Amino acid sequence: MDKSQALDTVFAALGDPTRRAILSMLLEDDMAVTDVADPFEMSLAAISKHLNILSRAGLISQERRGRVKWCKLEPDAMRDASIWMQGFGQFEAVNLDAFERFLRAELPDES
């Protein structure tokens, strides 16, 4: 995947509020998939789809420890996105809700 495609994948993953909430949760520590799913009112299968999108974007990694699948934040994956956004630093802070609407309009549905 070239750099532009990787950036598209990261922004598409960040375009969903559930996935952003998951990333915020993983800022604290690695979490088991079931713990990630706990605060959300959706099925474990739905959470797994979100986790797979985050994983494909390189924003998280997942590993099995015994019977439990763990999720870990991969902060370096956001570096290129952050650098790209810093290019707009002379403007107001990015409104993530407006950015989400923009992504939904510009990118195909990945969920």
Side-chain angles (χ1 to χ4, degrees):
M1 182 180 325
D2 72 18
K3 202 168 202 154
S4 178
Q5 289 174 320
L7 195 57
D8 290 346
T9 303
V10 168
F11 282 127
L14 293 173
D16 182 86
T18 299
R19 292 192 285 270
R20 290 193 306 270
I22 290 170
L23 291 173
S24 293
M25 291 166 50
L26 292 172
L27 275 171
E28 300 296 319
D29 200 3
D30 299 357
M31 296 179 75
V33 169
T34 52
D35 293 333
V36 170
D38 192 45
F40 300 100
E41 292 184 16
M42 61 180 72
S43 69
L44 192 55
I47 289 294
S48 291
K49 286 182 180 182
H50 284 295
L51 293 174
N52 286 334
I53 291 168
L54 290 170
S55 187
R56 278 197 313 268
L59 296 168
I60 67 167
S61 59
Q62 297 181 67
E63 74 173 322
R64 193 165 290 283
R65 297 180 199 161
R67 293 186 188 186
V68 179
K69 196 170 199 179
W70 287 81
C71 301
K72 176 183 178 183
L73 184 67
E74 297 294 341
D76 288 345
M78 268 197 257
R79 181 174 295 134
D80 288 337
S82 177
I83 290 168
W84 185 84
M85 289 177 70
Q86 286 174 7
F88 297 93
Q90 70 269 24
F91 303 111
E92 289 183 30
V94 174
N95 177 324
L96 290 180
D97 290 330
F99 192 57
E100 177 183 356
R101 289 189 296 276
F102 167 78
L103 289 174
R104 282 189 181 162
E106 294 296 319
L107 300 174
D109 187 18
E110 299 261 340
S111 39

